[in-house]
Structures are given as C-alpha cells and as structure tokens.
Amino acid sequence: MDVKKVLLGVTGGIAAYKSAEICRALQKKGIDVRVIMTENATRFISPLTFVALSGHDVHSDLFEDPKEPILHIDLARDSDLFLIAPCTANMLAKIANGIADDLMSSTALAMASPVIVAPAMNVHMYENAATQHNLCVCRQRGIHIVEPAQGRLACGDEGRGKLADVDDIVSYASSVLFSIDDASDETCKEEDDHDLCGMKILITAGPTVEPIDAVRSITNRSSGKMGYAIADCAKRRGADVVLVSGPVSIDAPAGVDLIKVETAEEMLSSCEDPFTQSDIAVFCAAVADLRPLKSFDRKLKKGIDDEALSTIDLVPNPDIIATLAAKKRDDQVVVGFAAETDDVIENAKQKLNAKHADMIVANKVGGGLAFGCDDDEVSFVTEDDVLSLPLMDKAQIADRLLDQVLKC
Ligand code: PMT
C-alpha cells in the first residue's frame, strides 16, 4: 500500500501546541505528514517545531517562494487528506464561504481529497449562530467535522469549544483516510449525505443499574451496541447527538455529547433538557422497571443481614419514554424499542400507544439476538405499518432506523 499523505493545517489558537501531538500520532500510523500554518498560528508555536517533527518544509505564505507560484494547488494535489486542527472560527468561516485569501484557505478550496476540520474556540464563539451556520454549511458540503469537546477553556469560560481529544482526531482522520480505499464499506450512509444536518437527536443506550447494596445491583445484559450504533450513524449523518448511557464497556462515538448515568431516575433527569431541545428521540436503553425500595451503602452480610438479602422490596421506576413523550411537540419524532421473547409485534403495538411513541423497534430476545450481539433482526412498528428487516448488523439497522424516522 502507498504511504498516505496528510496535510496538517495549524491555525492561530491556544490549542496549536496540540498539533505537534497530532503530527506525531499520525506519523506513528505510518502516515507522511506535511504542515502548513496561518501567520497567526506561528505566534503560538514555531514552524521550526513542525519542520523538526515532519522532516518537511513548513509553509505559511501563499507567495513565499517565487519559484512555486501555485503552492496551494501543489499541496492539495499531493495530499490524500487535509486535516485542519485546531481550526479557528475565522478559518471555518472562510472555508464555509469559499474565501481563499491565504495559503490555508486557498489550499482548502483546492482540495479534491477529503477535508477534516477540528474546531477550537471560545464557547460563545462556538455557539454563535454564525459559527453554527458555518459548521452546517461545511457538513452539507462533505467537509468532516470533529466536534470540539466540553470543559474549562483557556479563557476561563466553561463549555464546548476545546479542541477534541488528540486520539479522537487521529482515529477519525485515519478512518477517513483508510476508508477512501474501502468504497465497499456501506455500514452507514456516505458522510456527504448529511441529511440530519441541523437536527438534534437524543438517544438512550445501555442498561440501568439499580443498587441493592455496595456490591449488588439489579441490571440487565444490554451492551449499549445498538444505541451507540444509532448515535454513531446520526452523528455521521450530521446530527447533533446527545447520548445518555448506562454503564457499558464500549467507547462513545467521536463528537457525541455523552452523559453517563447509572439508575433509571438519573437517566430520566439527564434526558429531560435534551428531550425538550430534540427533534428526534430514540429510547434504546434497557431500563430496569423496578428498583429496590431501600439500597444500602455497605455490603449486606450473609448470616447478619439475611432478612434484608432474602426479601428485597421493589418499587416501580419512572417510565422514561412514557413520561417524556407524553409532552412531546407535534414536530418531534419519538422512537422506542421493545425486546420481547413472545408475541413480539403484538407487544410492540401495545407499547406504541402506552409509550406515546411514533415508532417502536421490536426485537426478539433469544437465539443469540438482541442483547449483546452484533447482528439483530428487527421490525419497525408504526400505527399503520410493520416493516420487518432481515438479519443485519446494528450499524445497518441504525441507518435504516434513521431513514424510517425521516419518513415519519
Ligand atoms: O444494548 P444492546 O446489547 O445492543 O441491546 C440492544 C437492546 C436489546 C437493549 C435494544 O435493542 C432494546 O430492545 N432496548 C429496549 C429493551 C427493553 O427491554 O425495552 P422494554 O420493553 O423494557 O421497554 C420499552 C421501551 O420503553 C424502551 O424504549 C425502553 O427504553 C423504554 N423504557 C422502559 C422502561 C422504563 N422504565 N423507561 C423506559 O424509557
């Protein structure tokens, strides 16, 4: 296989020092990295750093070498991928508007290969309607966005705007880079479909865990695979995704807003705000219907706490989907799941009404299906239709589910 070439663009923000780590991490994957910088980026980190790391000249001026009058075209032609990390609000605005007034923006415009931007900026600049519009325009044009993370920013503000984790940026970049050769990968729609751009999606996933004592709990065998696949697919198709998840051992897809919870009550309270802001809500979590009336902070001991251990009084948990969907707006689409061992479709139809859902995804439990597996066989149950899909992997189910939701 030919050595892949990544052009790394560094713009002028405090996160510019992390570009050096990105450069090294890409090289460790056997990728040849060239670096270009904006003039402002050179105030934050010296071009020399990147000359030493990359082993190539580092450019920042469109006209610095009279012998190379079309530097931006040559750089674009000679790169399999252009990764701009960090990308300032200003550079994002230039790219969204096709402005080409310096080396970085001219190269971005000249790229025929994929472009990834990893924005980093102050939270208010990030949340500004202009920046959000620019992100949306970029996504619609097929530019990949590695969403910034939340946290304490260099300016002291709290919120979204931190450059995404270096590992997330590098793994996203290599998955784009190496999927160029793998056109047969159709687990999710092509990124440039972006048909969910501008939409907010809430997804619940995984099990809930209801404590009995310091070491025991009531839970179930949900792995989170189905819910995380939906989150991943929704994100790739351009949505803003909030993923409220019970404890699982898989990683959240890059760029989704992950809220970790344990109990059903925590899951409900974490869903309340995102639900009111969502256009689509998908409740895939396997929520414990009941929880112990009393839970002990210490470990219950055999021989001492036998009565408490042998009789656990249970009380109902809130029904998260039913509670939230009861107050859903007309323009919101609510999807529930039903995992059943018997009368799968009949039970799903009952849940459609009981949960105030627009659609229930019914899956049969048993025979290695539903909980924990990679492939599943599901039916989409709506008021007047049942669409049964053949066995397919959860990423493909996620894609079909989102297609179906858009039809709703
Ligand atoms: O995580 P995986 O290993 O990939 O497995 C995926 C899955 C099997 C967990 C998933 O496909 C699935 O079917 N999820 C729903 C599991 C279930 O048992 O649902 P239920 O029949 O208890 O509940 C019906 C619906 O109400 C679900 O949307 C559920 O999220 C919701 N619910 C249930 C109880 C409750 N207290 N609050 C809820 O919101």
Side-chain angles (χ1 to χ4, degrees), residues 314-330:
L314 299 172
V315 288
N317 261 331
D319 190 321
I320 300 164
I321 179 173
T323 308
L324 296 175
K327 42 192 180 192
K328 85 181 175 81
R329 303 185 313 271
D330 287 347

Side-chain angles (χ1 to χ4, degrees), residues 146-221:
V146 183
E147 291 286 344
Q150 244 171 321
R152 191 170 170 77
L153 306 174
C155 55
D157 282 344
E158 286 276 346
R160 191 168 290 281
K162 268 169 71 135
L163 183 69
D165 196 65
V166 168
D167 288 345
D168 288 346
I169 295 172
V170 171
S171 85
Y172 192 100
S174 46
S175 73
V176 171
L177 195 59
F178 293 106
S179 70
I180 298 167
D181 292 336
D182 187 11
S184 62
D185 181 2
E186 284 179 6
T187 50
C188 190
K189 276 183 187 296
E190 288 297 309
E191 269 83 3
D192 58 5
D193 266 6
H194 293 299
D195 49 359
L196 299 176
C197 193
M199 291 202 185
K200 293 186 190 303
I201 303 195
L202 165 67
I203 297 161
T204 69
T208 61
V209 178
E210 313 293 338
I212 296 170
D213 68 6
V215 296
R216 302 175 180 89
S217 57
I218 297 174
T219 187
N220 59 67
R221 285 183 279 124

Side-chain angles (χ1 to χ4, degrees), residues 222-224 226 283-285 318 320-321 337 351 355 363 372 394:
S222 169
S223 62
M226 187 68 247
F283 295 89
C284 181
I320 300 164
I321 179 173
F337 270 71
K351 282 185 181 159
K355 310 265 179 181
N363 45 180
K394 286 182 175 173

